[in-house]
Amino acid sequence: MTTEYNGDSKASHNEKMQWWREARFGMFIHWGLYAIPQGIWKGKEIDGIGEWIMHRARIPVNKYEKLAGAFNPVEFNAKRWVKLAKRAGMKYLTITSKHHDGFALFKSNASPYNMVDATPFKRDVIAELAKECKKAGLKLCFYYSQKQDWHHPDASGNDWDFNPDEQDFAKYMEEKALPQVKEILTQYGPIGMIWYDTPQDITEAQTRAFVDAVYELQPDCLVNGRAGHDIGDYRSMGDNMIPPVRLKGDWETPATLNDTWGFKKNDKNWKSTKSLVCRLVDIVSKGGNYLLNVGPTAEGVIPNASVKRLKRMGKWLKVNGESVYGASASPSPHEQSWGSITSKPGRVYLNFVSWPDRKFKLYGLQSKVKKAYILSDRKKKDLPFKQENFPDSDVDVLRINLHSSRPDKYVSVVVLKVEGEPEMDPSIIQQADGSVVLEAVSASIQSPEEGSQLVSGRFGTLENWLRTEHVLQWDVKVIKPGIFDVMVFSQTEHGGEWEGAHRVSLDTGESKASGELLENERKSNPRTDVLRKEILSRIGRVMVSRAGRSTIAFQADHLNTEKGLGLKLRAVHLIPV
Ligand code: H79
C-alpha cells in the first residue's frame, strides 16, 4: 500500500491516520434502490448479496431505474441511525453514496439519478446524516463505486444493456464519477474517508485521478485500500475476511451482520452477538479496524435484528472498550486458542473467548507483569499470578489463577499491567491443548528462484501456488513432544470450487507424512466470507520426539493443474494423537 502518496511525510500520514487508529470500530451502511426488491425480483428469490440484484437478475436499466420513483423512505431519521452507531460504540460511519447500481443518495448536479431529483422523497439524506454526525462527533465517510456503474453506458459491470467494446471509460469518469466525487467532498463538510470498491482493471492513471480528487479537495480525508494499484492510506481486506495472523501496517475488514450488505427480506443468517464481539477483538489483536454493516429497509429502518446486536456490542464496549479503542495489535503475531490479545504501552489485554480453567497458562509473554485484574472489576482486585520459564522448550509462561465462572457472557477481559512496551516471543509455540498451528502466511518461503511466486492475498491464504519448487518452513517451540495427525486446510474459490488431488508432504526433520489432498471435510471458517469454504485433508502422521525448537517444512510434491486454480493453503495443524 502506498501510504506516503501525495508527498505526505510519514509524520503527517501518521497524524492523518490517528482518529482511524483510535476508532477501531465503524458502521457501514448499504442503502439504495435495491432495498425495494429486498432480494426478490418478479416473485423469484435472487441468489447472492442484495445490492447485486440488478446484476444477478440482469435487470435492464430502464426497468431498474423505475425503482427510484418508488423510493420513499418515510421512516428515515438520520438522528436515529447516528444514535444507534453511537450506542454501538462505533466511531465512524461509512455510507454508500453511490453503489454499483449507479444511484446516488446525495443531491448531484452530475447525474439526475439521485435521491433528490429522482425520488418522491426529494430529501438529501446525506446532508441530514452529515448534520447529525457532526453533532454527535462521528466521522462521516463515503463509499463510492468508482469503476462499476451499471447505470452509465460507459462504466463497467453492465454487459446486458451495454456493449463493453463500445464503452469509453474516460467519458464516464469525466461526466459522472469525478464530478460526483467532487460533490461529496464539497457539499457536506469535512469527510473522514472515501471508500472506493472493486477497482477491477482500472489503470493506474485513473486510480490516481480518483485519489488526487480526494486529496486536492480535502487533504486530511483518507482513502481506503480499494482505489486500485495498492494506492491508499491503508489496506482493505476482502469482504468478511479476517487475516489469520497479525499484519504490519493499517488495515480494515468490511463485514456483514448476516450474509448480505443491502437489505434482503429473507436473509436471516444473523451472526450471534458473541461471535461479533469475538471478531472485533480478533481484528484489533491483528492490528485492524472492523467496519460492520447494516442494510436499512426501503422505508429507512435498520432491521431490528441488527439493532439488537449492535446495542449489545455497545454495552460490552462500554465496560471493555479500553481493550479496543486506541489499542494496538497483540505483541505476538500468532492467534491464541483461547481468544485474542490486544495491547497498549504498559498494558496487555487478554480477551477470553472461552473462559479457561482456574489455572490459566499464557505462553510466550516476555514482559514482567506487575499486576493482573479483570477489566470489568471496578475494584481491580488482584489476580494471583506467577512467571517462569520452561527450560526444555525455552518458553516463558505466565500462570494466572482465575475465578471458576466467566465474568462476561461474550468476551471476558483480563488486564496485565506490564513494564514498558509489551513483548512476546515471536516463535510459534505449541498450544496448551497440544496442537501446533502452522499458518501458511507466516511461513518463511524457500524458493529456488528470485522472489517467490507465492503471494499472501486478501483472503488469508498463500495464493498462486502453481509450481512445486516452493518449500514452506516454520520454526516451532514444542513443549510436549509426541505423535501428531497432520491436517491440511486449503481454501475454495469464492463460490466453493476447489482443486484437490495435489500431493503434499510435511517433514519434521525426523519423520515425514505424505499424502494426497482429498476432501475429508468441508468447513466454514468464521474468519472468511460464507462463500469461501475450507477443505480439511488429513495426510498422515508425524513424530516430534523432543521438546525445544524444531523446524517443520511443507511442500507440494505434485500439483494438479487441471483447472489451473492451484493450491490455496490456509494452514497445517498438527493434532496430538
Ligand atoms: O459493497 C459490498 C459488495 O457489494 C461489494 N463489496 C462490499 C463492500 C462487492 N462487490 N463485488 N463483490 C463484493 C464481489 C461480489 C461477488 C458476488 Fe456475485 C456478487 C458473488 C455473488 C454476487 C458476481 C455475481 C459474482 C458472482 C455473481
Side-chain angles (χ1 to χ4, degrees), residues 121-335:
F121 199 56
K122 291 191 168 57
R123 278 158 55 187
D124 186 341
V125 294
I126 297 293
E128 294 178 28
L129 274 168
K131 195 174 131 211
E132 295 302 328
C133 281
K134 189 170 175 208
K135 270 203 250 165
L138 206 63
K139 287 270 182 190
L140 177 64
C141 310
F142 293 134
Y143 175 106
Y144 190 88
S145 175
Q146 80 276 32
K147 178 79 174 126
Q148 299 198 65
D149 187 314
W150 306 328
H151 188 262
H152 195 286
D154 291 300
S156 294
N158 181 343
D159 58 6
W160 57 98
D161 284 299
F162 311 119
N163 179 355
D165 298 333
E166 292 165 9
Q167 287 180 304
D168 178 4
F169 189 73
K171 184 161 184 273
Y172 152 78
M173 273 180 77
E174 285 313 311
E175 71 183 36
K176 183 169 182 187
L178 286 173
Q180 286 200 327
V181 168
K182 286 176 189 156
E183 287 171 342
I184 53 181
L185 285 159
T186 48
Q187 294 173 179
Y188 307 103
I191 300 306
M193 145 170 57
I194 297 293
W195 215 98
Y196 289 121
D197 200 10
T198 62
Q200 302 180 324
D201 61 347
I202 197 167
T203 69
E204 188 167 346
Q206 289 161 347
T207 291
R208 294 227 176 249
F210 279 114
V211 173
D212 282 342
V214 179
Y215 293 153
E216 268 160 28
L217 292 164
Q218 295 206 23
D220 289 334
C221 181
L222 304 175
V223 173
N224 77 329
R226 296 190 185 180
H229 300 273
D230 280 346
I231 297 170
D233 288 296
Y234 66 89
R235 190 168 175 215
S236 293
M237 288 298 116
D239 295 348
N240 285 304
M241 295 291 163
I242 303 179
V245 295
R246 184 184 69 188
L247 299 181
K248 283 208 184 84
D250 301 301
W251 59 271
E252 176 186 61
T253 293
T256 51
L257 278 168
N258 44 357
D259 293 336
T260 185
W261 305 83
F263 180 70
K264 259 185 111 172
K265 184 176 176 219
N266 294 329
D267 183 343
K268 305 254 160 71
N269 196 21
W270 301 101
K271 293 165 186 69
S272 69
T273 307
K274 169 155 180 164
S275 79
L276 295 165
V277 176
C278 292
R279 282 173 174 86
L280 175 62
V281 294
D282 186 19
I283 287 169
V284 177
S285 81
K286 292 165 180 166
N289 277 19
Y290 194 23
L291 183 61
L292 188 55
N293 182 71
V294 295
T297 66
E299 291 74 42
V301 177
I302 297 175
N304 204 24
S306 303
V307 173
K308 223 164 64 182
R309 283 162 178 78
L310 294 186
K311 283 186 178 166
R312 289 179 186 148
M313 288 182 87
K315 230 171 139 185
W316 182 86
L317 277 161
K318 242 197 157 104
V319 178
N320 299 289
E322 189 189 316
S323 142
V324 169
Y325 303 123
S328 303
S330 169
S332 159
H334 310 293
E335 287 181 353

Side-chain angles (χ1 to χ4, degrees), residues 390-445:
F390 289 153
D392 292 347
S393 49
D394 189 26
V395 169
D396 293 305
V397 56
L398 165 70
R399 297 170 190 275
I400 312 176
N401 285 355
L402 296 169
H403 322 289
S404 53
S405 63
R406 57 178 183 175
D408 194 284
K409 67 177 165 173
Y410 300 140
V411 169
S412 307
V413 186
V414 169
V415 188
L416 308 176
K417 273 184 155 179
V418 298
E419 267 168 24
E421 282 294 324
E423 277 184 60
M424 284 181 84
D425 187 341
S427 318
I428 297 168
I429 300 172
Q430 186 177 21
Q431 314 253 350
D433 68 1
S435 65
V436 177
V437 176
L438 308 166
E439 290 292 348
V441 296
S442 64
S444 61
I445 302 169

